[in-house]
Amino acid sequence: MFSKAVEVIYSGGFDFDSPNGASESTSTSPNCRVISDHARGLYLYQANCLELLDRIVEKHPQGCFDMIFADPPYFLSNGGVTCQSGRMVSVNKGAWDKSQGTELNHAFNVEWLKRCQRALKPNGTLWVSGTMHIIYSIGLAM
C-alpha cells in the first residue's frame, strides 16, 4: 500500500546483507545504496523508507539512532504548478510524492513515524520538516 521513497543516511557500522543494501527496484523507488563510506560506517540509501527502516530495526531491535531528521513527502505532485522566480513551474517531484487522498496520506505518516520510533534509541530525538499541506497530519500522528 505504501511505497514512498526516501534518502536515508545510515551510520550503523555495518552494511546490509544484499549486494546493494536494499531490495529490488520498484516503480516509486530504486531501492539502492548510493554512497558507501566503509571507513566511517556511513551509507546513503535511496529506498522505500518503510522497508529500509524495517531492515534497520531488524538489525538493531533496541534502536540505533540518537537523532532522525525527516523531510517526508508533502504529497503535492498532482499536476499542480507554482510561481518560482516569476515563472510558472511544475510541482511534480515524482510518483513518491503523489497524494493518495487524505486518509492514505495520514496512514503513511503514521507508519513511517512508528518505524522511526522503533529505530531511535530510548532517548533519541525526531525532527520533522514539512509544509502546511502535511505537517498537521504529522502532528496528529505523533
Side-chain angles (χ1 to χ4, degrees):
M1 169 160 66
F2 307 111
S3 60
K4 302 298 180 189
V6 67
E7 289 183 352
V8 175
I9 298 174
Y10 172 67
S11 176
F14 70 89
D15 198 2
F16 290 113
D17 301 328
S18 66
N20 69 355
S23 57
E24 294 299 313
S25 177
T26 66
S27 63
T28 56
S29 174
N31 285 331
C32 63
R33 187 176 60 231
V34 234
I35 296 173
S36 295
D37 183 340
H38 299 293
R40 292 187 179 110
L42 296 173
Y43 305 94
L44 175 65
Y45 294 89
Q46 185 175 4
N48 178 302
C49 65
L50 303 179
E51 293 172 8
L52 186 58
L53 284 165
D54 283 345
R55 294 197 63 198
I56 291 169
V57 170
E58 280 177 28
K59 298 279 186 177
H60 299 284
Q62 302 304 314
C64 63
F65 297 118
D66 293 311
M67 195 268 296
I68 294 175
F69 177 86
D71 186 16
Y74 302 156
F75 303 114
L76 296 177
S77 294
N78 294 310
V81 293
T82 189
C83 183
Q84 185 177 41
S85 300
R87 295 182 174 186
M88 297 300 280
V89 295
S90 171
V91 294
N92 288 332
K93 305 294 181 204
W96 61 270
D97 191 49
K98 286 192 180 280
S99 175
Q100 301 298 313
T102 305
E103 289 180 18
L104 287 178
N105 292 351
H106 183 67
F108 170 73
N109 288 330
V110 168
E111 289 303 314
W112 71 260
L113 283 165
K114 281 182 190 177
R115 285 164 171 84
C116 285
Q117 186 176 23
R118 290 182 197 128
L120 282 169
K121 290 179 180 177
N123 292 319
T125 300
L126 174 64
W127 295 4
V128 181
S129 67
T131 67
M132 65 178 215
H133 304 93
I134 199 67
I135 203 67
Y136 299 106
S137 167
I138 292 170
L140 179 61
M142 287 180 159

